[in-house]
Amino acid sequence: MQPDQRGRVLVVAAKEAGDALMERLTASGYHCAAAEKEAGLAQAAEALQPEVVLLSMTAKRAAEMLDLVRKVERLQRLPVLVDLGRTRATEAIKRLPVDDLIRSADEVVPRLESALRTSRLRDREERIRMRMGMLLEITQAATSSLELEEILRIAVDKVGRVTGTDRCSVVLVEGSHARTARVVATQEDPSLVELDIEVARYPELRRALETREPVLIEEAQRDPLMAEVRTSIMPLGVKSILVQPLICQDDLLGALFLRVSRVTASFGRDEQEFAQAVAGVLANSIRNARLHTAVKKKREDLELAYVQRYQELNDANRRLKELNRLKDEIIAVCSHDLRAPLQVLLGHGRLLLEGPLEAQQKQSAEAMIRQGKKILGLVESLLEKGKGEAARLSIEPRVLDVAQLCRDAVNELEILAADRGVSLRAECPDSLMLIGDEVKLHEVLQNLITNAIHHAAQDGEVVVSTQRLARPDGDAAKVCVQDDGVGIPPDELHLVFDRYRHGGKGTGLGLAICKEFVELHGGEIWAESPKDKGCIFVFTLPLAQEAPRNPRPQVPATSPQEQPRVLVVEDEPEIAAVLSEVLRSKYRVEVARDGAEGLAKARAQRPDLVVMDVFLPKLDGLDAAMALKSSSDTAHIPVILLSAHQGVAEKVRSLNLGAVDYMSKPFNAVELLNRTDRALKLRQGEREQQEKERASSLQRRTGSDPATGLHDRRGLLLRLEQEVARSRRFHRALSLAVLRPDRPVDSLPASIADIMRKRVRHPDAISHLGEGVFAVILPECQAEAARNVISRMLPDVEKATDTEYRSAVADVSQDSDSVEKLLEKLGAPPPEET
């Protein structure tokens, strides 16, 4: 065993005593140095790098030297032993703050060994603790959102401080047989980052990458592996090198390179294990970073391909539209040019019939007229198709009675029904006035009734009925066409209105056109399959809104300042100009160019009416209308929505935004002024009603509960009927919940509505049925999810009312019972007798 392998001891003693102790310790295998005075203490400590200090002096001198030892930085944490054999004042020595006392010459070696063992264990534990702390910091950095370069910089800094290296670098390669590598992080010189190196010039790195095993060079000056580069590393004084490969899931990513130049330094087992742990963390981070980069590039490539494909499809769609327009123009021109000569031929044919003709000549003239009329019908059909999509999706509105329209359609098709042995009748007792296109609604009725006749049972019947539906956003007409045939399977009901796919009922294309025509009028259409037999086609249309019962007396004339203010929100400058020009004849007009500007002006100016396009930049018209209605400052402002797009009326009605009217583009100036005037009169009527009646009676009239501000029973039934119909025809989930207290609750806190609304979504509806009983409608919500919502709501309600509650929840989307029956099933109290 070499002397410094057993331990290094600094002997602090007088000349004679020090020589004796050093002789004994040297003989026992220790490496020693002696110091007698303060001047030689620091010098001996720096040269020897001791592990323990041995004092052998008188008590007074030992105390002085102990203070000096503690002032030397290299000696501060070393154990200090005192030899009692050189002093008689043992009691004074024992009071000194030393680690151990040696009472005889025989105890010197055992005491030193014990002190060295304890010190080394303490140092090793300290190094392990420091390594674990550094490894934790590296792992935290690797799992954070830092960039890879920053993670590697932190790692090489921590590893260098733990291992005491003078170079710690991370080198990355591409593939197992890479010839070049890149230094991406280094402790020695940050300027060496992003430095490309040749793997062949570094034999230790080449060996580690080829074998995928750690390479340890303990003596770089004598190791055979370093022979080819020894002349290069000798001036640098390199002593030991450790190269740890970076491998993750069998992918070779690079290496962690460590180098020390101190003669006394080396990479022990602890340092190697620490380097291996760090390499595992870094390899995982590098692989994740590369995967992230690859995914990001793939996403960018896909986005670029998507944009290119979108542009191609957009160009193709533009070309198709142009071709379709040319086709429509050709058909229109040809049809128009054919119609004029046909009218001439038919006119002369009628003149011939009026004159004296022989029987054969008369028969020929009649055939000519008959075939000419047939050709004229084909030409008219071509001319109608030549008008294109715009003609089909536009309406020519006028006031009409949908009940009378149904009766007329039934009368026209009675002959067809009689030929098939089917009884056809109309049950339309009440007049239902609406604004619509008579031709298109007549076509809808003819299509539905004809389908019903074709699919009715032998000697069966078809019934066309109408009724008025009360709705919070305005009454509607409900038209039902029912037959007693085989019906439609429930899973095919949603297909019958598809243009290209349909169930076993109707032609598909005809029903799709019916759906378009109904939605053009702001209505809805769906099919139902009763449990007994047959099929019912139902569509609803908004009725013409009547003037308020107590209209405001007409004022002979108003000054400009007294004219109602109308805010026009339209992004198309030409349309905004037309709207403003039409409305300025009767109102003061302000214009906003997008939804956000319109919302801001409505909140600041509080206009009497808002006329707003649906599709707006920055903020959609539907969202802007919802924002107006959700604020108490602007909820009273009536909104008329405009749109040229198909299907918008469905969105408006499904969102229940509270818009008082809806108009399709293009619009008629007179119609616009009439609807604007009607909306303002409705608002004025509501104001006068609020002045005459108390707030509670108005809330009851509108279906609201005065005690809580929630829906009352009437409002609940109206909303529930709409949601049930919508869920059945669109096959969407609908849950209903009833919350019942264990005892009647006479008074509810004013904040109960806000407490309950915090637990539900915007489309959900809450109502108070009296005595603390609540009902909650949850559209598009499965029963299990609804139970979770109610379970979170119950503790809040119980705390606010100081009453225990029970709840019942069910999915009512496919329940055919009435809405009153649905509430009764869930334990709601029966309606009060009036």
Side-chain angles (χ1 to χ4, degrees), residues 46-292:
E46 185 63 28
L48 179 63
Q49 300 289 317
E51 297 176 86
V52 64
V53 178
L54 176 59
L55 292 177
S56 182
M57 292 180 174
T58 62
K60 181 179 180 181
R61 183 61 177 160
E64 294 175 357
M65 292 304 295
L66 182 60
D67 290 339
L68 295 175
V69 166
R70 296 306 186 196
K71 292 179 181 179
V72 178
E73 183 179 358
R74 182 66 185 82
L75 306 177
Q76 286 178 354
R77 300 182 61 189
L78 298 184
V80 178
L81 284 71
V82 177
D83 183 8
L84 297 180
R86 299 295 176 178
T87 179
R88 296 179 181 178
T90 57
E91 293 301 324
I93 291 291
K94 290 180 181 180
R95 290 195 292 271
L96 293 177
V98 296
D99 294 278
D100 203 353
L101 301 174
I102 300 175
R103 292 175 174 79
S104 64
D106 295 337
E107 292 184 358
V108 172
V109 172
R111 294 287 182 180
L112 282 174
E113 287 183 351
S114 176
L116 285 168
R117 190 180 305 111
T118 302
S119 176
R120 289 169 178 171
L121 287 174
R122 185 172 60 247
D123 291 344
R124 187 172 185 274
E125 290 177 357
E126 182 66 23
R127 289 194 300 271
I128 292 174
R129 185 163 48 250
M130 183 174 65
R131 290 192 186 100
M132 294 302 294
M134 293 296 185
L135 183 59
L136 178 60
E137 293 181 15
I138 294 172
T139 304
Q140 290 174 343
T143 55
S144 67
S145 59
L146 296 175
E147 296 292 336
L148 179 62
E149 291 77 7
E150 183 65 15
I151 295 173
L152 298 179
R153 189 193 64 77
I154 293 173
V156 297
D157 179 65
K158 303 291 183 186
V159 173
R161 287 165 56 187
V162 170
T163 58
T165 58
D166 50 30
R167 170 173 286 188
C168 177
S169 304
V170 175
V171 181
L172 299 185
V173 296
E174 296 289 343
S176 302
H177 305 287
R179 295 183 178 181
T180 60
R182 169 162 290 195
V183 180
V184 293
T186 184
Q187 170 201 19
E188 182 185 26
D189 186 359
S191 65
L192 297 178
V193 173
E194 300 300 326
L195 175 66
D196 292 329
I197 61 175
E198 295 182 11
V199 176
R201 297 179 59 185
Y202 297 85
E204 70 281 19
L205 177 61
R206 183 177 67 240
R207 172 74 62 85
L209 296 177
E210 290 175 352
T211 62
R212 297 194 174 200
E213 296 291 338
V215 173
L216 175 61
I217 307 296
E218 295 183 351
E219 294 293 339
Q221 305 293 342
R222 296 193 296 269
D223 195 295
L225 181 63
M226 308 299 292
E228 57 185 287
V229 295
R230 187 165 294 125
T231 55
S232 302
I233 64 174
M234 285 182 64
L236 302 175
V238 178
K239 180 182 182 296
S240 298
I241 298 174
L242 175 62
V243 183
Q244 178 67 47
L246 301 177
I247 300 174
C248 182
Q249 296 187 6
D250 203 36
D251 290 338
L252 179 63
L253 308 173
L256 178 64
F257 182 88
L258 305 174
R259 187 188 74 187
V260 293
S261 300
R262 296 191 308 276
V263 177
T264 57
S266 62
F267 294 105
R269 181 177 179 183
D270 293 340
E271 285 78 8
Q272 296 177 46
E273 291 178 350
F274 176 70
Q276 184 177 6
V278 172
V281 174
L282 296 183
N284 189 59
S285 296
I286 295 167
R287 184 175 185 274
N288 289 340
R290 289 185 175 180
L291 288 176
H292 175 72

Side-chain angles (χ1 to χ4, degrees), residues 664-776:
S664 299
K665 298 177 184 177
F667 52 83
N668 182 276
V670 176
E671 181 186 4
L672 175 63
L673 289 174
N674 289 339
R675 295 201 184 190
T676 304
D677 186 59
R678 182 167 63 246
L680 290 171
K681 285 181 179 179
L682 283 173
R683 184 189 177 194
Q684 185 60 37
E686 290 178 359
R687 285 180 178 176
E688 294 183 359
Q689 192 72 13
Q690 290 174 355
E691 294 174 359
K692 292 181 179 180
E693 299 179 0
R694 296 188 315 173
S696 61
S697 62
L698 177 60
Q699 286 178 324
R700 284 192 294 271
R701 181 176 65 83
T702 57
S704 297
D705 175 44
T708 61
L710 301 169
H711 288 303
D712 62 3
R713 192 180 194 94
R714 178 176 178 274
L716 169 70
L717 294 178
L718 291 174
R719 179 66 181 274
L720 184 57
E721 184 177 355
Q722 290 184 30
E723 296 296 343
V724 167
R726 188 171 293 113
S727 67
R728 289 173 182 172
R729 65 180 177 271
F730 294 123
H731 296 274
R732 296 173 181 169
L734 173 66
S735 294
L736 177 64
V738 174
L739 284 66
R740 307 183 306 278
D742 288 345
R743 57 178 177 80
V745 180
D746 297 330
S747 62
L748 293 169
S751 60
I752 189 65
D754 294 333
I755 291 173
M756 299 181 73
R757 286 192 181 109
K758 289 179 181 178
R759 294 295 185 181
V760 298
R761 307 162 302 169
H762 176 74
D764 301 338
I766 309 175
S767 62
H768 179 224
L769 305 181
E771 298 184 344
V773 180
F774 298 97
V776 185

